[in-house]
């Protein structure tokens, strides 16, 4: 397994949910951290604890990654500190639940900018440097919903399909340059995700629900074992595997009923 000890890891969306767990696990493995999100306070609190417990260096950057040019601004701030990022965890993201036509174009644009364009730009900026150095790890967070169209989460699911396909393609493209790209696809997990998406928990969602810590552990382990793509949780894996034998119209009906869309 590869090691992150003494390296610099950048975690986006580090103020809650999976992001807090990614930061904690990477700190336990001895990585120095750059934490990014809009809310400073939860990141500062965690940074204080992790510095004390693990003796690592941590930089907290407050930034709205849905703003145009945010990725480049973040890169400049990190460059100014003479930090080289060895591990990029593209975690920041959120969903919009409900009827597509009830969602404003501005809401959709902001979500797609964060879920797809910020991920693309950060990967381009930091991936190039990693390729020049001949080493690096990039983790993408897609979703179970990225494996089929999902009415009720139409644009969000499509954004995660983009993340899934981009990450899997880049795994092959960047491998010869020494850069590992891994895609982690979680199903429903107990974070702020559902509340922010305005999604109520259906029976199916409750059945699939996982704690964030094992999902994050799987993602980091898979990345350090140089895997290209991994689905978290046995039931989620069965759903994804079952898609191979299910017509696409049926796949989306099943997922629509699962999310209550
Ligand atoms: N939990 C699930 O059920 C689930 C399932 C599949 C995939 N995922 C994916 O997992 C990732 C993490 O989500 P989570 O479940 O941990 O949800 P979460 O608890 O709501 O965390 C989302 C994180 O993204 C950050 N973020 C949101 N908008 C941002 C912006 N404009 N700029 C910078 N940071 C921003 C938030 O920080 P601030 O608000 O402080 O900016 C927060 O730290 C997302 O990509 C999500 O799509 C989640």
């Amino acid at each position: 397994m590869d090691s992150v000890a003494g390296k610099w890891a950048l975690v986006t969306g580090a103020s809650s949910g999976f992001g807090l767990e990614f930061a904690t696990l990477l700190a336990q493995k001895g990585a120095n951290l750059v934490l990014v999100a809009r809310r400073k306070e939860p990141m500062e609190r965690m940074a204080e604890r992790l510095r004390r417990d693990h003796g690592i260096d941590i930089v907290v950057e407050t930034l709205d990654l849905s703003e145009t040019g945010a990725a480049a601004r973040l890169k400049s701030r990190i460059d100014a500190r003479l930090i080289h990022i060895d591990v990029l965890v593209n975690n920041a993201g959120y969903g919009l639940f409900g009827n597509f036509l009830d969602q404003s174009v501005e809401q959709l644009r902001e979500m797609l900018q964060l879920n797809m364009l910020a991920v693309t730009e950060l990967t381009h900026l930091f991936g190039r440097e990693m390729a020049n150095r001949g080493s690096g790890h990039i983790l993408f967070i897609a979703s179970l919903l990225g494996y089929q169209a999902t009415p009720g989460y139409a644009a969000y699911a499509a954004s995660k399909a983009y993340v899934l396909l981009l990450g899997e393609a880049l795994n092959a493209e960047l491998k010869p340059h020494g850069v590992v790209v891994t895609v982690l696809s979680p199903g429903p997990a107990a974070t702020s995700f559902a509340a922010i998406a305005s999604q109520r928990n259906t029976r199916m969602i409750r059945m699939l629900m996982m704690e964030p810590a094992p999902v994050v552990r799987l993602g980091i382990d898979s990345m350090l074992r140089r895997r290209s793509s991994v689905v978290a949780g046995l039931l989620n894996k069965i759903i994804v595997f079952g898609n191979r034998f299910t017509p696409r119209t049926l796949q989306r009906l099943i997922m629509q009923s699962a999310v209550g869309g």
Side-chain angles (χ1 to χ4, degrees), residues 13 15-16 18 38-39 64-65 91 142 156 160 187 189 191-193:
S15 63
S16 104
F18 289 144
R38 290 167 303 181
R39 283 167 296 160
D64 184 343
L65 285 168
N91 168 69
Y156 172 72
K160 290 299 180 176
T191 67
S192 318
F193 179 86

Side-chain angles (χ1 to χ4, degrees), residues 12-19 36-40 42-43 63-67 90-95 110 114-115 141-145 156 160 184-194 196 209:
T12 67
S15 63
S16 104
F18 289 144
V36 184
R38 290 167 303 181
R39 283 167 296 160
K40 190 173 188 174
M43 293 192 289
L63 191 64
D64 184 343
L65 285 168
S66 69
E67 284 174 0
N90 273 316
N91 168 69
Y94 64 91
E110 258 183 45
L114 178 68
N115 291 4
I141 318 302
S143 168
L144 173 64
L145 299 188
Y156 172 72
K160 290 299 180 176
L184 167 67
S185 296
T191 67
S192 318
F193 179 86
I196 287 171
M209 188 63 72

Side-chain angles (χ1 to χ4, degrees), residues 193-208:
F193 179 86
I196 287 171
S198 307
Q199 150 98 72
R200 65 188 182 286
N201 277 349
T202 62
R203 231 175 56 175
M204 180 73 157
I205 288 178
R206 280 197 298 275
M207 215 172 81
L208 297 175

Side-chain angles (χ1 to χ4, degrees), residues 3-95:
S3 164
V4 294
K7 297 183 173 172
W8 277 96
L10 166 59
V11 180
T12 67
S15 63
S16 104
F18 289 144
L20 292 174
E21 298 289 340
F22 277 123
T24 304
L25 185 56
L26 287 164
Q28 284 166 0
K29 290 181 178 293
N32 300 308
L33 299 171
V34 179
L35 307 177
V36 184
R38 290 167 303 181
R39 283 167 296 160
K40 190 173 188 174
E41 156 67 9
M43 293 192 289
E44 289 288 10
R45 238 180 311 139
M46 174 172 58
E48 211 178 289
R49 179 171 54 81
L50 295 178
R51 279 187 201 108
R52 194 182 54 231
D53 292 353
H54 304 288
I56 53 170
D57 290 329
I58 305 185
V59 170
V60 171
E61 289 289 354
T62 320
L63 191 64
D64 184 343
L65 285 168
S66 69
E67 284 174 0
T68 311
R73 276 201 298 286
L74 176 60
K75 177 75 169 49
S76 313
R77 290 191 205 171
I78 291 173
D79 285 348
R81 293 176 182 272
L82 304 178
I83 290 173
H84 296 296
I85 297 300
D86 302 294
V87 179
L88 166 61
V89 180
N90 273 316
N91 168 69
Y94 64 91

